[in-house]
Structure formats: structure tokens, C-alpha cells
Amino acid sequence: MGFLPALGTVREARSSTVAVAAAVTAAAGLGLVGADSRWVAALGDTIVERRAIPDGVPYASAPTAGWDNVLVVAQILFHGFERYGAHGLLAAQLVAVATGFVLLAVGARRYGASDGSTALVLLLVAVGALTSLVVIRLQLFSLAFFPALLLLLRGETAEGSRRIWLVPPLLAIWGNLHGAVLIGFAVVSAYLLFA
């Protein structure tokens, strides 16, 4: 089953749509800029200004010489988000939250969950992950990438296809955005070993 029929199912599902909207509204209404957002954006500013990746973190209090900076893409993106101040960071967080929750809803509905049970699970996830939803940190990318990976692997479990080849680029992009890619890699490894 393709993405378009599943998205149509989500549109018809009123309770799960309300649950997604509630998660996004909570993130919008309670959103706070986390401390790491500022240093990530500042490092992105340095990279853009110098047009080079610095050796270490120029303003860190601890020695960082020789530090391998694997999150350059995230730092440059945060530089772009912060050009619009806290509103830019909040907008990025809201896109990530909305994307993650829509993907979770699509996955649940696609594989037979009722609208009510999907809504209940989405609300429980929102409560359990509240700090991740409302505090804008570097992990915002993982809010979208992890559900995308789960949806992709679940689809492959139900019906194998060439879509499995989307996993390496997904992990490569995610790996340049946030360290939670290691959890994604563990999930993929479990899938490859047991599915």
C-alpha cells in the first residue's frame, strides 16, 4: 500500500488528526529554546562565516582540539533557523513534531489500528515525550527521522521491496544531523537479523 492511500486514511481519521494537532499545539504553546540550540547555531555561524569547519569548538571552555565535527549539516541548518530568532527555531521544531506524529499516525492506520486507538497512542506518546516536543534542541531532527525509519521498516516487514535501499541514505543524512542515528542503526540491525 502506498503513502497516498494511507494519508487519505489519516485525513478521514478525526480523532488521530486531533491528536496530531494537540501534539503540535503543545510544542507551539510550550516551546522553549534549549541551551544546545544556541551553541549549535553559533557553531553554524562560525562555519558559514569562515567557510571552513573549525578544529574544535572555538568558544568551548574545555579543550576540543581534534574533535571530529560530524554534525556540520545540523549546525548550518540551525544557523539558518536562528536567522529568524526563536521563531525560526520554533518553526523547525513544529515541522519536526508534525512530521513525526503524522508518520506515526500513518503507520498505525496503515496496519489496521482504529482511529480511536491511534489517537490514544499518539496522545500517550506526546505526554511521554513532552520535553522532547517542547524543548527545542538538536534532537529535533530525530523527531522526524526515527518515525520515518520505523514506517519504512514496518512496510518492508509486511511486503519486501526495493524501498529498503532508502535506509542507507536515510541513516547517512540522519547521521549528519543527530547522534540518535545510533538508535536507528540498532533498530535496522535488529530488523536485518530477525526479520
Side-chain angles (χ1 to χ4, degrees):
M1 182 180 267
F3 277 92
L4 293 178
L7 287 174
T9 303
V10 170
R11 284 192 197 112
E12 296 167 8
R14 291 190 177 135
S15 297
S16 53
T17 302
V18 169
V20 170
V24 175
T25 301
L30 302 172
L32 302 168
V33 177
D36 71 339
S37 294
R38 300 295 185 193
W39 77 260
V40 171
L43 199 49
D45 295 343
T46 302
I47 293 167
V48 169
E49 181 183 303
R50 295 182 185 174
R51 297 189 184 277
I53 301 170
D55 182 31
V57 179
Y59 43 84
S61 59
T64 58
W67 171 61
D68 292 326
N69 187 356
V70 295
L71 302 177
V72 172
V73 175
Q75 293 157 2
I76 292 171
L77 287 172
F78 265 75
H79 158 77
F81 301 154
E82 199 176 52
R83 287 181 54 200
Y84 302 99
H87 295 297
L89 293 168
L90 181 60
Q93 179 79 2
L94 296 180
V95 168
V97 170
T99 301
F101 274 79
V102 166
L103 291 173
L104 289 173
V106 166
R109 297 291 289 157
R110 178 184 289 172
Y111 297 105
S114 71
D115 180 43
S117 62
T118 299
L120 179 61
V121 169
L122 291 175
L123 290 173
L124 289 173
V125 168
V127 169
L130 191 61
T131 58
S132 297
L133 302 181
V134 301
V135 181
I136 305 163
R137 296 185 290 234
L138 181 59
Q139 71 184 13
L140 74 87
F141 300 109
S142 295
L143 295 174
F145 276 86
F146 190 67
L149 179 68
L150 293 179
L151 186 61
L152 178 63
L153 293 178
R154 178 70 171 119
E156 287 301 303
T157 302
E159 179 185 338
S161 71
R162 291 182 183 213
R163 285 183 308 228
I164 193 68
W165 291 104
L166 294 173
V167 170
L170 182 96
L171 291 176
I173 294 167
W174 188 7
N176 284 283
L177 297 172
H178 190 249
V181 69
L182 297 175
I183 295 170
F185 182 76
V187 169
V188 170
S189 299
Y191 166 78
L192 292 173
L193 287 172
F194 302 114

